[in-house]
Amino acid sequence: MQRTLSTRMLLNRYGALFRMPLLENLAEVGNVVSAVLVMTMFMWVFAMLWQAVFAAQGTDLIAGLTLRHTLWYLLMAELVVLSKPLLAEEISDSIKTGSIAYDLMRPLDFGLFHLSRYAGHVAFRACVNLLAGGVVVWLLVGPPPAWQGLFPAVLALMLSWGLEFCFEALIGLAAFWTEDISAFRWIHQKISFILGGLFLPLDFYPPWLAAVARVLPFASIIYAPGRLFVDPSADRLLSTLALQLGWLVVLGFTFRLLSGRALRRLTINGG
Amino acid sequence: MERKQGLGFVGALWRVNLLSAMEYRVPFIMQLGGMMLNNVIYFAFWVLFFDRFEEVQGWTLRDMMLLFAVVASGLGLAMMLFGNCRAIARIVAAGDLDRYLALPRPVLLHVLASRSSVPSMGDFVFGLIWFVLAGDVTAAHALRFLLAVVLSACTFTASLVLANSLVFWLRRSELLADHFLNAMITFSLYPGTLFNGAARVFLFTVVPAGLTGALPVEMLRDFDAATLGWLCAGTAVLAAFALLAFQVGLRRYESGSAIVVRI
């Protein structure tokens, strides 16, 4: 007799996995303090750089953005990057040590298991980072330029972390084929920084590069939420969400396909 | 005689580190090449930045290339030769210092040289290539560059030993040491002229990133004995503090009593 789990039971299981990293992070006060320090440091350096740039240009507006727009944009971009856990490393380590066998024995879907834990980490870190970075940027350049951008940005942020989850999980799964994934991690990270607009909004790029970068998934992850936050509009919201959902389908499907193939290659030795 | 033996011992450690890293050829090449590619892509930000703004506070793209060259090679050299400088806090917290204390060799030197980081070799090579690409490769300029790299490597090593030695007083300071390294790298890779007043003091004392990037590049741009003097003095003071902190801290170390078989 096959027993089907009710939706409620499934939600309870994955909900528990979501709560676990929240509690882990809460227990580690050092993590909170260090998150605050890192965010403060980055926003301070950015403020120094961009204050110098705007002063040297002798203008309040560069490519349609003021200093306040730029710093709040950079805060959101950093928020995406600094709030995610090292999922690729976690998956790769579990493959190399063989502990993935324990993950697979659980009556849980491999992808959803990791997604629930990932979401728990992100939820906690994002709150801490937003609070720390928000205070610093507010003190430096004043409040966000458009409060109505907050809700659309939160929606876009959730999808951007979904996309980032797919990338990280795919890189982690590469450990099934290669002995070391660190080179993939670094290169993915730096390509997303540049084509996603982490240090420089895409609006400041040469037009041809900005046009290419905008349609790639990296911009959907880093650029889109921040730009929506500082300059919200219904058109921008719709185009952002449509592009993010499109990439989520593509990357989610690729992850499902590859994880299925990868797990079929799995051989566990010993006990 | 004793000094010669010490040098031979460190040389033997470096040789073993290199051979063990090269034992796994594919990961070795991937990590080395991957790190170089990583740095090239990272630098693309500054290419885009200066394409748009031409210069910031007197710094141009060429200055940024020199900055990346000095910092990458300096950090690479430090991690290649003394890879454990970033891991002392972890080693002490885990009680793994016992294995070094039991041997008749200088403890700090033994700990530092016991590990070489493979990706850092990529950093080192990247820095050399970037220096050549920045242009003006005369013998005098190349010598100054090598001096800047060695001083930057000494500063990275000394400041990381100092930050990691806090573990002797704070018990769990691994995360703090990690963030210190991140701060050193982050602040090293921005034009020095961005930071004035209190920020500049901060970058030459608490997080001495000014000594690993901005000041060596100032020396390369306009060489004068005073800048070199400041750079050497700063590095020497940091090294002295690092040695003192480790030696004093070591007296507070308590063995983990772990029984470990080292093969």
Side-chain angles (χ1 to χ4, degrees):
Chain A
M1 189 177 72
Q2 196 175 8
R3 211 176 66 176
T4 313
L5 288 172
S6 68
T7 312
R8 192 181 166 152
M9 282 175 79
L10 281 173
L11 280 176
N12 281 342
R13 282 184 183 183
Y14 293 112
L17 284 168
F18 173 81
R19 279 193 302 276
M20 244 189 296
L22 280 177
L23 298 173
E24 283 167 23
N25 279 295
L26 268 174
E28 290 282 340
V29 183
N31 286 346
V32 180
V33 175
S34 58
V36 172
L37 285 176
V38 171
M39 201 60 171
T40 307
M41 178 180 79
F42 275 117
M43 295 324 298
W44 184 55
V45 174
F46 282 144
M48 296 264 183
L49 177 67
W50 289 102
Q51 276 164 357
V53 168
F54 275 85
Q57 298 291 306
T59 174
D60 292 336
L61 207 65
I62 301 175
L65 297 174
T66 62
L67 178 63
R68 189 149 65 111
H69 282 99
T70 308
L71 282 182
W72 280 103
Y73 163 85
L74 290 170
L75 167 67
M76 296 305 267
E78 286 295 332
L79 185 66
V80 174
V81 174
L82 292 178
S83 303
K84 65 190 174 101
L86 300 172
L87 178 67
E89 243 177 33
E90 192 184 318
I91 293 179
S92 160
D93 286 347
S94 73
I95 293 167
K96 283 196 273 192
T97 59
S99 68
I100 191 169
Y102 298 106
D103 298 340
L104 294 174
M105 274 195 312
R106 297 188 178 108
L108 298 163
D109 176 84
F110 178 74
L112 290 176
F113 166 72
H114 281 291
L115 181 63
S116 310
R117 287 186 50 78
Y118 185 89
H121 278 294
V122 166
F124 181 85
R125 292 176 189 189
C127 291
V128 175
N129 285 331
L130 184 61
L131 200 65
V135 169
V136 175
V137 176
W138 194 312
L139 289 173
L140 289 167
V141 290
W147 279 107
Q148 59 272 36
L150 188 61
F151 179 68
V154 170
L155 267 183
L157 275 171
M158 286 199 279
L159 289 173
S160 85
W161 279 312
L163 287 168
E164 189 56 28
F165 167 82
C166 294
F167 268 122
E168 289 267 340
L170 282 168
I171 294 168
L173 286 175
F176 274 106
W177 289 276
T178 63
E179 286 167 71
D180 187 81
I181 59 150
S182 37
F184 297 122
R185 268 201 310 115
W186 301 327
I187 293 165
H188 160 71
Q189 186 195 48
K190 294 303 179 304
I191 288 179
S192 8
F193 286 1
I194 300 301
L195 294 176
L198 179 67
F199 306 117
L200 194 64
L202 296 184
D203 311 75
F204 296 174
Y205 283 29
W208 67 270
L209 184 58
V212 173
R214 274 197 184 95
V215 293
L216 295 175
F218 311 109
S220 285
I221 294 170
I222 295 176
Y223 172 75
R227 199 65 178 85
L228 199 54
F229 180 59
V230 297
D231 188 14
S233 70
D235 282 352
R236 195 186 289 280
L237 175 65
L238 286 177
S239 60
T240 298
L241 296 184
L243 198 59
Q244 285 184 314
L245 284 169
W247 278 116
L248 201 55
V249 169
V250 172
L251 289 170
F253 178 74
T254 312
F255 169 69
R256 279 284 171 203
L257 194 75
L258 278 182
S259 61
R261 284 193 187 174
L263 294 176
R264 276 197 295 276
R265 284 172 62 97
L266 184 67
T267 310
I268 306 285
N269 294 314
Chain B
M1 184 68 184
E2 208 171 279
R3 184 173 292 175
K4 202 173 172 187
Q5 271 187 348
L7 284 174
F9 168 67
V10 173
L13 282 176
W14 288 336
R15 198 165 50 249
V16 170
N17 290 343
L18 183 66
L19 289 175
S20 66
M22 289 180 71
E23 186 64 25
Y24 302 98
R25 291 287 161 89
V26 176
F28 177 79
I29 293 166
M30 276 183 68
Q31 287 189 15
L32 199 141
M35 182 52 87
M36 289 170 67
L37 188 58
N38 168 69
N39 292 345
V40 172
I41 301 170
Y42 187 29
F43 193 77
F45 158 64
W46 288 107
V47 175
L48 291 166
F49 182 89
F50 284 106
D51 179 61
R52 173 89 202 196
F53 301 113
E54 288 185 10
E55 71 160 61
V56 56
Q57 306 265 54
W59 279 56
T60 60
L61 184 62
R62 183 175 176 272
D63 298 321
M64 285 310 296
M65 285 188 83
L66 283 177
L67 182 68
F68 265 64
V70 171
V71 174
S73 281
L75 181 65
L77 188 64
M79 296 299 167
M80 261 161 62
L81 303 181
F82 302 119
N84 264 343
C85 62
R86 61 183 295 183
I88 294 173
R90 262 188 194 86
I91 292 169
V92 172
D96 285 344
L97 211 53
D98 296 8
R99 66 172 67 161
Y100 301 98
L101 291 170
L103 295 170
R105 295 290 175 212
V107 180
L108 181 59
L109 190 63
H110 190 180
V111 173
L112 290 176
S114 288
R115 185 172 158 228
S116 291
S117 155
V118 177
S120 300
M121 296 178 195
D123 273 332
F124 183 71
V125 179
F126 165 85
L128 298 182
I129 295 172
W130 234 232
F131 170 69
V132 174
L133 290 178
D136 190 20
V137 192
T138 59
H141 198 55
L143 269 177
R144 273 181 232 145
F145 172 71
L146 288 179
L147 185 63
V149 168
V150 170
L151 288 171
S152 175
C154 291
T155 305
F156 268 121
T157 309
S159 44
L160 285 170
V161 169
L162 196 54
N164 274 268
S165 294
L166 285 175
V167 72
F168 292 117
W169 288 273
L170 301 178
R171 271 194 320 131
R172 306 284 312 189
S173 65
E174 300 99 299
L175 208 59
L176 186 69
D178 286 347
H179 288 311
F180 179 80
L181 174 61
N182 285 337
M184 282 288 289
I185 297 172
T186 303
F187 287 120
S188 294
L189 292 174
Y190 279 86
T193 45
L194 284 182
F195 308 102
N196 294 309
R200 200 163 169 84
V201 174
F202 176 79
L203 291 181
F204 281 95
T205 51
V206 184
V207 179
L211 291 172
T212 54
L215 204 56
V217 170
E218 271 178 37
M219 186 187 78
L220 283 174
R221 289 163 86 194
D222 301 301
F223 182 78
D224 74 291
T227 314
L228 178 61
W230 280 114
L231 202 51
C232 291
T235 308
V237 169
L238 259 177
F241 271 119
L243 276 172
L244 188 69
F246 186 84
Q247 295 301 341
V248 173
L250 193 57
R251 287 187 210 135
R252 301 170 55 89
Y253 176 72
E254 288 172 18
S255 165
S257 302
I259 299 169
V260 180
V261 179
R262 199 179 178 197
I263 301 167

